[in-house]
């Protein structure tokens, strides 16, 4: 069999497996479902950014952020199961905990009940699946890793006693670079203070930026938090007339905004503003010329 024929056969088999999974016929190869449960919803996203939660959730200035997190990139499979009401969330959690231990997965973070925080945050801000909302006392969460595979498990018993298991599986390709966001991240800083200075920006001129890994990481983090609306505010001091500094700072704000858009951030989430030297206060010692992100 020729090499090309082998590749086509593998692609065909993968397509068949994904089709069966989407129809609820088979389990994902990495996870076996809880007995007496059925797949009710499946979604698959190819080569996307994903923020894995590694700490409890909190809301600050209207933004939900985890105490700790990591940004990944890979293929994402999302599966929701409904479990027979003859069982409890604790039964389901124990089943998966034993299964993952047998498979050699490493636990990165786990919580249960009210220690996980608001179920509303998990359902609507993290998983964006309102069906997963229920009483805090009825929830379980676990984040795990095995090699380049990361897995998130969330279990909730709703007020109507319907019991759901939700899985998100992130499979990173060997050729896809993993983006690590330091903790605290820029967005964590925004949540705390309402604004943050974008680091490591160098302008060749007001319309051109030097390539910046910090800006690449920021764009990836913004795409992982699509609910955020931000002002891109450029400050610029100097001896030039005020109107010229205002115009130049606006150009710089538009340049940074356009770069973020080119990196994948939606245009309608970013508004450019140039204030020249009219807002001189900042936390740093050398920040007369800077670009800030300000919560909309």
């Amino acid at each position: 069999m020729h090499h090309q024929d082998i590749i086509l056969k593998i692609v065909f088999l993968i397509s068949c497996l994904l089709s069966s999974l989407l129809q609820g016929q088979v389990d994902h190869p990495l996870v076996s479902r809880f007995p007496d449960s059925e797949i009710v919803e499946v979604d698959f996203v190819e080569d996307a950014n994903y923020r894995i939660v590694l700490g409890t959730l909190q809301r600050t200035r209207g933004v939900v952020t985890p105490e700790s997190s990591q940004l990944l990139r890979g293929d994402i499979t999302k599966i929701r199961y409904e479990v027979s009401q003859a069982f409890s969330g604790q039964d389901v959690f124990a089943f998966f905990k034993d299964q993952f231990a047998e498979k050699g997965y490493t636990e990165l973070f786990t919580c249960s009940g009210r220690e996980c925080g608001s179920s509303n945050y998990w359902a609507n801000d993290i998983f964006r699946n309102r069906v997963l909302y229920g009483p805090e006392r009825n929830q379980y969460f676990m984040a795990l890793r095995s090699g380049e595979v990361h897995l998130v498990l969330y279990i909730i018993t709703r007020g109507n006693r319907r019991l759901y298991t939700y899985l998100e599986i992130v499979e990173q390709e060997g050729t896809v670079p993993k983006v690590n966001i330091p903790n605290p991240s820029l967005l964590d800083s925004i949540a705390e203070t309402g604004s943050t200075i974008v680091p490591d920006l160098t302008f060749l001129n007001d319309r051109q930026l030097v390539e910046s890994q910090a800006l690449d990481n920021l764009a990836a983090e913004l795409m992982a938090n699509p609910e955020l609306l931000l002002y891109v505010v450029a400050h610029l001091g100097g001896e030039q007339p005020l109107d010229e500094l205002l115009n130049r700072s606006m150009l710089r704000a538009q340049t940074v905004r356009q770069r973020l858009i080119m990196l994948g951030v939606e245009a309608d989430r970013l508004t450019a503003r140039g204030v020249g030297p009219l807002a001189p206060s900042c936390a740093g010692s050398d920040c007369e010329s800077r670009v800030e992100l300000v919560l909309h």
Side-chain angles (χ1 to χ4, degrees), residues 34 83-95 138 140 155-157 161 163 165:
F34 183 82
V83 183
S84 167
Q85 295 181 19
F87 300 94
S88 68
Q90 186 174 5
D91 295 331
V92 179
F93 186 67
F95 168 83
N138 295 340
Y140 299 83
I155 299 166
I156 186 69
T157 304
R161 299 192 60 191
L163 174 57
T165 299

Side-chain angles (χ1 to χ4, degrees), residues 51 63 65 181-201 212-219 221-222 225 228 230 260 291-294:
R51 173 190 280 269
V63 180
T65 57
I181 301 298
N183 198 16
S185 68
L186 290 178
L187 297 193
D188 291 333
S189 178
I190 291 175
E192 292 176 5
T193 65
S195 66
T196 189
I197 296 176
V198 181
D200 303 327
L201 288 184
S212 168
Q213 184 61 50
L215 206 58
D216 292 347
N217 291 350
L218 173 60
E221 197 171 10
L222 287 173
N225 292 268
L228 289 182
L230 298 167
L260 290 172
V291 175
E292 290 184 291
L293 294 181
V294 180

Side-chain angles (χ1 to χ4, degrees), residues 3-144:
H3 181 66
Q4 184 176 6
D5 294 334
I6 294 174
I7 293 175
L8 290 174
K9 185 175 181 180
I10 292 173
V11 170
F12 174 75
L13 291 174
I14 292 173
S15 298
C16 291
L17 176 61
L18 181 57
S19 177
S20 296
L21 178 62
L22 292 173
Q23 295 173 28
Q25 297 174 1
V26 299
D27 287 324
H28 191 284
L30 297 176
V31 185
S32 299
R33 76 181 76 183
F34 183 82
D36 208 357
S37 68
E38 63 178 5
I39 296 175
V40 293
E41 183 181 11
V42 176
D43 189 21
F44 179 78
V45 182
E46 186 177 7
D47 191 24
N49 292 307
Y50 180 88
R51 173 190 280 269
I52 186 168
V53 174
L54 302 175
T56 54
L57 303 179
Q58 56 192 359
R59 183 184 291 276
T60 307
R61 292 179 177 267
V63 180
V64 173
T65 57
E67 291 179 338
S68 179
S69 65
Q70 185 179 17
L71 199 65
L72 312 170
R73 188 173 183 87
D75 296 335
I76 306 166
T77 305
K78 304 176 183 181
I79 311 172
R80 179 165 59 91
Y81 307 83
E82 184 166 359
V83 183
S84 167
Q85 295 181 19
F87 300 94
S88 68
Q90 186 174 5
D91 295 331
V92 179
F93 186 67
F95 168 83
F96 281 104
K97 190 176 179 69
D98 290 344
Q99 178 182 163
F100 296 144
E102 290 176 4
K103 291 178 180 289
Y105 278 68
T106 300
E107 288 188 18
L108 303 176
F109 172 68
T110 184
C111 65
S112 62
R114 292 182 174 86
E115 69 180 1
C116 295
S118 169
S119 175
N120 179 47
Y121 295 169
W122 289 102
N124 295 309
D125 293 272
I126 301 301
F127 300 129
R128 302 188 181 281
N129 191 326
R130 59 187 180 85
V131 175
L132 299 175
Y133 172 68
E136 275 75 23
R137 66 181 182 277
N138 295 340
Q139 63 183 345
Y140 299 83
F141 175 83
M142 186 185 298
L144 309 103

